[in-house]
Amino acid sequence: MGGKTQSLKQLALQKFKHNFWGVFSFCFIIIVGLVSVFAYVLAPDHSQYANQMHLSIHSKRPGFTIDMLTLPSKIQNTQNALDKLFFGTVNTETEVPVSAFKIKDDTLLYTEYASDGLVGEEKSLDLNTVSEIEQFNLVAPKTFHLGTDKYGRDVLSRVLVGARISFFIGFVAVFISLIIGLTLGSVAGYYGGKVDAVIMWVINVTWSIPTLLLVIAITLALGKGFWQVFIAVGLTMWVEVARVVRGQIISAKEMQYVTAARALGYTDYRIITKHILPNIMAPVIVICAANFASAILIESGLSFLGIGAQPPMASWGAMIKDHYNYIILGKPYLAIIPGLCIMSLVMAFMLMGNALRDALDVKS
């Protein structure tokens, strides 16, 4: 009797900690979230959207190394450190892949790299026009750990920067759908009658429209862009949440604890938010995990159609769209790498959703 009684939250947390895949998925999601926020710090290509193109070294295999000549520019970069940290560095310098170079009489002679066995053009650079610091970093070897895409951009950098869209579109879409779905589903299920009939009519009309077509319509109405896609996907995914919440509340409002709460004079708002919703969150969490997966896939479909994230913005879906034909051209990794990223992130959220469902299940 003298022992300390654990709360339901502590019991749920304890059950979640004992689920290996749930904890592993949670850690993986946290890592992906940190990578999304600090992508430009981790990416080898620090330019905005990792969009430094080198057409002469396009579609190179992972581990490709080349000497890179950085031609200085007189244009000054006025970005502050915070802007560079979260949005990348505006390109003011030009990078040129070179196959050979030498210094002769204060002149740098270099041969531009040419693919397919061609001989590149030999050019010269007067070193007297370059400061000593710039001369020190003028030519340096550069390794593309995951190779280059068809535009000669670093695939690793594009994957890291592209995680930002795929990660945050899931969170924003699920957040919007959760707010709308919980609100309408709770009102419809708790009050019933004409209120339920009107809300169910709206749900059925929205449900009857194909998701992709509805997203396309909303995107075209709001315009093409980064945030427009987030809002469009979120506004189409609330229906499932609302239907599940409505069904759960219809059965839960007849329970004895709800009758007792009404007898004590509690308001409808308190009964719904403090008593009913905490007891029906297990299926809602599973739906949210599934919606996260759907949001990523819908964004990929929109990028494939050219309505999602616009070039040169990096996106896993856009990377698959740009390189899906390379699967039969001997370089399938260009499409497989972002595909594996999408699959692993979706699976992590599904496993964590299942673990949370088991931990929050009050019946167990």
Side-chain angles (χ1 to χ4, degrees), residues 2 6 91 102 110 119 140-141 151 155 159 171 181 196 205 209 235 241 250 262 264 275 290 309 330 334 340:
Q6 289 184 315
N91 266 340
K102 61 181 179 180
Y110 63 92
V119 179
Y151 300 109
V155 174
V159 167
F171 269 112
D196 183 28
V205 170
I209 304 175
L235 290 177
V241 179
I250 287 176
R262 288 172 178 167
L264 292 173
H275 300 278
L334 289 174
L340 289 175

Side-chain angles (χ1 to χ4, degrees), residues 215-232 302-311 313 321:
V215 171
I216 292 174
I218 295 175
T219 304
L220 293 178
L222 297 176
K224 297 180 181 180
F226 185 67
W227 291 106
Q228 287 86 337
V229 175
F230 283 19
I231 297 172
L302 290 175
S303 297
F304 188 86
L305 296 173
I307 304 176
Q310 299 300 303
M313 189 176 292
K321 179 247 183 180

Side-chain angles (χ1 to χ4, degrees), residues 16 19-31 348 351:
F16 181 79
N19 190 312
F20 170 77
W21 289 110
V23 175
F24 178 81
S25 300
F26 177 75
C27 295
F28 179 79
I29 292 170
I30 293 298
I31 292 173
L351 291 174

Side-chain angles (χ1 to χ4, degrees), residues 295-333:
I296 295 177
L297 296 177
I298 290 173
E299 186 275 328
S300 301
L302 290 175
S303 297
F304 188 86
L305 296 173
I307 304 176
Q310 299 300 303
M313 189 176 292
S315 166
W316 289 345
M319 291 178 67
I320 296 176
K321 179 247 183 180
D322 289 337
H323 303 99
Y324 72 94
N325 54 346
Y326 279 76
I327 295 177
I328 60 176
L329 295 178
K331 297 177 181 178
Y333 59 89

Side-chain angles (χ1 to χ4, degrees), residues 11-69:
L11 290 173
L13 182 61
Q14 186 177 0
K15 288 175 64 178
F16 181 79
K17 287 181 178 179
H18 285 86
N19 190 312
F20 170 77
W21 289 110
V23 175
F24 178 81
S25 300
F26 177 75
C27 295
F28 179 79
I29 292 170
I30 293 298
I31 292 173
V32 175
L34 293 175
V35 169
S36 302
V37 174
F38 301 104
Y40 288 106
V41 178
L42 302 173
D45 184 0
H46 303 297
S47 62
Q48 284 189 340
Y49 308 125
N51 195 44
Q52 185 71 268
M53 295 185 183
H54 313 96
L55 295 178
S56 60
I57 55 172
H58 68 89
S59 308
K60 295 299 180 181
R61 293 191 175 276
F64 176 74
T65 301
I66 188 71
D67 289 325
M68 195 69 69
L69 169 65

